[in-house]
């Protein structure tokens, strides 16, 4: 028993030591409506750069060190999703050595204001965002989703039973019963948030109520947690190495990765791939290092082949998007190679990218 305690203390100390030089501060300029995390990791500048680039492009649609304030688009609703977004705070969570988990909270204003909590998890060996589907063996994903769904259904059904047991239910209670009877509980890993704690993983699924009925929703978001050891038989090799503090990095999916390279061998660009859906469709953003302006890509991954459309503008006259370029490329290990074709001139330019 003493040996086990000493081993645990040693591992905890190593974990603390691994991250003691990693600092997080507020991205400047900070304001009442903008408190956003910026990572500093002096001993691993590439990791620092990748994490900050992902966070700022993904959440703010801002390229680090470009012109203007990082909050300039989200604060006035000029992002691609056209909502005002306010970031009120963040927290660095206690995690295993190889992982950085950051909790971010704020409010988004579309048709109505809605508070939000999100969690971003990074592999500190690579700087990549950790995708939930990479954590589990492919044939175990449905099983893990089933465990999450089972816990959520039990929470909802137990609360429903208590509400139904009231002998003379008020109108409010009847409304609550209606909310929970119609509650969606068949969440998949793609549809929920998650983060790593010291000895467990927590999944957070959306609440049962819509915005109009949320005041009656006493359960709120559903939190399901599992000690790491309880998922031992489902973890992928990547996850096992990640959680065991190993430096071995296994291959992971294309989702949420950063690439750098050149078009025509002379125009440096950086690319951020977004989520790749089950049908292979995905979106991406890229920018020329010289002018730092985001350009949208819409693509399809089939096997190792990637086809991408780069739109130029939307024509009101023809009611359709006008292409600017077409990309055909192949994914080869950590590289993407192919062509970028100018839609007007039909000229083909060589495209070469490598994962950061």
């Amino acid at each position: 028993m003493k040996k086990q305690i000493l081993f645990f203390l040693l591992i905890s100390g190593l974990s603390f030591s691994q991250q003691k030089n990693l600092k997080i501060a507020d991205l400047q300029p900070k304001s009442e409506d903008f408190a956003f995390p910026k990572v500093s990791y002096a001993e691993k500048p590439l990791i620092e750069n990748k994490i900050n680039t992902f966070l700022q492009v993904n959440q703010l649609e801002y390229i680090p060190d470009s012109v203007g304030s990082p909050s300039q688009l989200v604060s006035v609703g000029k992002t691609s999703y056209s909502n005002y977004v306010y970031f009120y705070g963040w927290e660095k969570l206690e995690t295993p050595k190889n992982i950085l988990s950051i909790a971010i909270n704020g409010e988004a204003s579309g048709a109505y204001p809605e508070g939000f909590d999100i969690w971003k998890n990074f592999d500190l060996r690579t700087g990549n965002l950790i995708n939930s589907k990479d954590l589990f063996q492919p044939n175990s994903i449905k099983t893990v989703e089933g465990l999450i769904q089972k816990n959520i259904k039990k929470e909802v059904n137990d609360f429903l039973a208590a509400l139904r047991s009231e002998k003379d239910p008020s109108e409010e209670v009847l409304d609550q019963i209606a909310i929970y009877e119609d509650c969606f509980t068949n969440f998949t890993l793609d549809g929920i948030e998650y983060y790593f704690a010291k000895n467990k993983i927590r999944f957070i699924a959306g609440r049962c109520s819509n915005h109009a009925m949320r005041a009656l929703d006493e359960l709120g978001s559903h939190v399901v947690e599992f000690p790491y050891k309880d998922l031992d038989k489902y973890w992928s090799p990547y996850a096992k190495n990640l959680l065991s503090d190993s430096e071995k990095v296994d291959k992971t999916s294309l989702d949420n990765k950063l690439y750098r390279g050149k078009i025509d061998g002379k125009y440096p660009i950086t690319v951020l791939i977004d989520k790749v859906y089950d049908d292979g469709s995905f979106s991406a953003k890229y920018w020329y290092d010289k002018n730092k302006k985001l350009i949208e890509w819409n693509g399809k991954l089939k096997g190792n082949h990637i086809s991408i459309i780069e739109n130029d503008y939307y024509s009101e006259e023809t009611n359709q998007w006008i292409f600017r370029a077409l990309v055909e490329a192949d994914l080869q290990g950590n590289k993407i190679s192919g062509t970028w074709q100018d839609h007007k001139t039909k000229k083909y330019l060589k495209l070469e990218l490598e994962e950061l």
Side-chain angles (χ1 to χ4, degrees), residues 126-177:
T126 64
N128 290 335
L129 188 81
I130 301 170
N131 301 305
S132 57
K133 67 182 180 183
D134 289 327
L135 293 173
F136 302 102
Q137 301 164 40
N139 60 358
S140 295
I141 289 177
K142 291 292 184 185
T143 303
V144 174
E145 290 173 342
L147 293 173
I148 295 169
Q149 293 166 10
K150 181 180 178 181
N151 277 268
I152 295 173
K153 288 174 183 176
K154 183 179 187 308
E155 179 187 36
V156 172
N157 289 335
D158 287 350
F159 197 69
L160 257 177
L163 291 173
R164 288 169 176 158
S165 68
E166 296 195 20
K167 293 183 179 179
D168 188 19
S170 64
E171 191 70 31
E172 182 177 295
V173 169
L174 292 175
D175 286 341
Q176 286 183 304
I177 290 173

Side-chain angles (χ1 to χ4, degrees), residues 263-281:
I263 293 177
D264 200 27
K266 55 187 176 183
Y267 303 112
I269 64 169
T270 304
V271 180
L272 175 59
I273 306 290
D274 291 331
K275 174 183 170 54
V276 180
Y277 291 90
D278 290 341
D279 64 356
S281 63

Side-chain angles (χ1 to χ4, degrees), residues 67-125:
V67 175
S69 168
S71 64
Q72 62 188 359
L73 295 180
V74 292
S75 63
V76 295
K78 291 291 181 68
T79 58
S80 60
Y81 45 86
S82 302
N83 285 353
Y84 293 81
V85 183
Y86 308 111
F87 292 91
Y88 295 142
W90 52 267
E91 180 185 3
K92 179 180 180 293
L93 306 176
E94 187 176 10
T95 60
K97 181 185 81 168
N98 288 332
I99 299 168
L100 170 64
S101 289
I102 305 174
I104 302 173
N105 69 84
E107 183 180 82
S109 298
Y112 45 78
E114 180 81 31
F116 65 82
D117 293 283
I118 57 175
W119 292 264
K120 297 299 178 184
N121 307 283
F122 296 93
D123 186 334
L124 287 176
R125 301 167 302 174

